[in-house]
Amino acid sequence: MVFSWRGAPASRRLLLSLLLLAAWEAGSGQVHYSVPEEAKHGTFVGRIAQDLGLELAELVPRLFRVASKGRADLLEVNLQNGILFVNSRIDREELCGRSAVCSIHLEVIVDKPLQVFHVEVEVRDINDNPPVFPVKEQKLFVSESRMPDSRFPLEGASDVDVGANSVLTYRLSSSDYFTLDVNSKNEENKQVELVLRKSLDREETPEHNLFLTATDGGKPELTGTVQLLVTVLDVNDNAPSFEQSEYEVRIFENSHNGTVVIRLNASDRDEGVNKEISYSFNSLVPSTVFAQFSIDSNTGEITIQNNLDFEKVNSYKIRIDATDKGHPPMVGHCTILVKLLDINDNAPQIILTSLSLPVREDAPLGTVIALISVSDQDAGANGQVICSLTPHTPFRLVSTFKNYYSLVLDSTLDRESVSAYQLVVTAQDRGSPSQSASANVSVEVADVNDNAPAFAQPEYTVFVKENNPPGCHIFTVSARDADSQENALVSYSLVERRVGERALSSYVSVHAESGKVYALQPLDHEELELLQFQVSVRDAGFPPLGSNVTLQVFVLDENDNAPVLLPPGSSRAIGAVSQVVPRSVGTGQVVAKVRAVDADSGYNAWLSYELQPASGGERSPFRVGLYTGEVSTTRALEEADAPRQRLLVLVRDHGEPPLEATATVLVSLVDGGQALKTSSRASAGSADREAALVDVNVYLIIAICAVSSLLVLTLLLYTALWCSAPPTEGACGPGKPTLMCSSAVGTWSYSQQRRQRVCSGEGPPKTDLMAFSPSLPPCPGSEDVSEQQDLNAKHALQP
């Protein structure tokens, strides 16, 4: 679309200015509205939600709210339709005084995410205030000697409205002697003067009552009236006069008391007492002038008598009367405009709002922590403020609007490293010398559950003696969580599993709060040497975090099992061993063997054998090996030796205290022939039996070989599968005693796999191997072999 403009150049320039102004306001990021003062409640101001780009449905969930530095109840927003409307009476004069521009600055704040918008509502002036004179009656004293065209200044009216509504015009009531002259030298000083048209005659008219009416430029126009009472004086017909009717003085605020503002010098053309002049403030001067200034009546010197503050009043208008001492006295007038110059005497102010504390340590970057506004009552560069943040922290200040800042998160937080930050926000103006103000902001970091509880080491080794009392405390686990509050509140529990055929919780328990581990029942080293399990710790955070620790509980052996006697080739305990010995045996020949086992381990299972002396005190022809239990002869047997020998063998372990058992060995002494017959009979009987069983043995051997082959193949296949599979937790199965012949002499090794010997859940049970010597008939050279076996058994049993 193409527009053609053929208007005047002035019109084109006006249109261009309006377009530039609209573009500037659109780019500034500020929404601007206007509303007339005294508008009724509910008056439409603007569609603020639409203009700010907010959806109506999100106003309530995002906590849409409006804040104002001044009166916050003047304007309100309907959250249903997003319209900004007038809520209460707006009086522009009360709000802004005589300021040319009057605006209400609003802060629109929404959360999730936090956003701040700045809205300016201009309050337009209406003509609601009539002109007002400072007094209801002004008195003037005019000498009859005053010449026509003499001028008498009047106090004009004031209108608190602005613009055209405050432009006043004056008219005087009809008079033959006076007329009105209004001289507008500048906007701040409009001179209203009563002009004498012709000479006065006091005897004819001593007083003149006039009415001065002021009319403003509003629509409809409003008026104000004051009565002028003019008294005609006689004689002294020359009034004092100043060099200038108006003086302008500039002085710094906070100037010391006694500082001279100006020295006036008026003159009077009269002679004698009629030219002596006294200076004074005009009676219509406001009380603020009397409070701040003083005047010397003789010299006309005006000085400061109270502190001047630019931020309260930046200019004073002082009317001075110079009165002579004639009869009647004549008065000359002048006006002094005192303008104050600003100095940097006000420090900036900092206001913190909308603090979002504490801040979670996992808060995303850019999270708004607080809103900060700064202000300075000074003017110009003295009122320009810059804001900074110290010390170097994970936060920074972001300028959102003039003198408005947001404190935002700039880098990640870690409560375990720093739990709180003490920030200092400093505002400094550009004055010389500059002034500054500081505000402390304490930012606490809220914890999240990002640390799992941890133990000091991954594994603990615990030693516990067997036969402990039930419920005894054996160890305490302790884990530390770097988080805080409920995120650091830990609880302990067992990692349940099977120990053989029983549950782990039947052996031990752990206190959930203290981490103390208790043995629920007496532990038996012979049943369980090592109990390995895990304790789990979890915190109370959401979601909870945890870890495990391994405990290896070694059950220490105590000497709680006495030695048990065994016969040759049997696992059943016996009370006596019978043995037939020919009298022809030589010295040192082994004639019997005492076999014993001890269920304990180490020194508690290391057995020693001792032959008890005979009751009659006779020296026995036999002795017993200290560690082998072999009964052998100490000399050649004689005829005088009793045919039946009863030997008592004491079997003792090395525990503390030691436990013992007694074995009885019955030795029958026979002659060599009887022994041979007994041996022959036994051999013959055996031969017959072997002959009778030859045929049966052939078939039996074939069947055994077939079954053995099948059994070996099955065992090989099972072993291969078992080795390839992972070990099963708690695989502690019962074992059977196995006897293995290891030498021609007949030395036997007793090996027993005890049920649940070691239960750690990480492999097959361990094997406890103990070596003993069996009870066998004596063999040639058995004495040397017996001694060697004693040595071997002793070394094998030492821990």
Side-chain angles (χ1 to χ4, degrees), residues 492-657:
Y492 304 90
S493 62
L494 283 177
V495 179
E496 187 61 83
R497 66 175 183 83
R498 304 293 298 178
V499 179
E501 298 179 354
R502 298 169 59 183
L504 173 64
S505 56
S506 65
Y507 287 94
V508 292
S509 69
V510 59
H511 192 271
E513 296 179 0
S514 65
K516 292 184 177 181
V517 182
Y518 299 93
L520 299 181
Q521 62 183 8
L523 300 177
D524 189 358
H525 173 80
E526 288 71 42
E527 178 186 356
L528 189 65
E529 290 184 2
L530 172 62
L531 180 61
Q532 181 171 304
F533 58 92
Q534 287 187 328
V535 174
S536 175
V537 63
R538 292 291 183 274
D539 58 31
F542 182 81
L545 302 176
S547 60
N548 295 344
V549 66
T550 301
L551 267 67
Q552 292 189 2
V553 180
F554 287 90
V555 182
L556 303 179
D557 182 53
E558 288 188 339
N559 194 24
D560 58 346
N561 291 281
V564 178
L565 300 171
L566 297 175
S570 172
S571 62
R572 295 174 300 164
I574 63 169
V577 176
S578 297
Q579 187 68 42
V580 178
V581 179
R583 292 180 179 272
S584 59
V585 297
T587 302
Q589 294 294 317
V590 177
V591 299
K593 174 72 173 180
V594 177
R595 300 177 67 251
V597 294
D598 195 315
D600 294 321
S601 63
Y603 278 94
N604 297 329
W606 185 17
L607 303 180
S608 62
Y609 303 84
E610 180 182 351
L611 186 62
Q612 297 294 314
S615 59
E618 297 180 356
R619 183 174 180 273
S620 174
F622 301 97
R623 70 178 179 84
V624 64
L626 179 61
Y627 297 112
T628 62
E630 294 178 343
V631 179
S632 60
T633 58
T634 59
R635 58 178 173 79
L637 299 177
E638 301 174 353
E639 291 295 333
D641 294 329
R644 293 184 65 81
Q645 299 279 342
R646 181 182 179 86
L647 306 178
L648 293 178
V649 178
L650 182 64
V651 182
R652 180 184 290 115
D653 59 28
H654 287 71
E656 290 293 339

Side-chain angles (χ1 to χ4, degrees), residues 116-156:
V116 179
F117 304 92
H118 296 274
V119 178
E120 183 180 17
V121 179
E122 179 186 1
V123 180
R124 301 193 306 273
D125 183 55
I126 64 173
N127 193 27
D128 59 338
N129 292 280
V132 177
F133 288 91
V135 293
K136 294 183 178 179
E137 181 183 81
Q138 291 190 30
K139 294 181 178 182
L140 287 83
F141 298 91
V142 181
S143 175
E144 65 176 342
S145 62
R146 295 295 296 267
M147 300 299 293
D149 294 329
S150 295
R151 296 177 179 270
F152 306 94
L154 301 176
E155 187 65 22

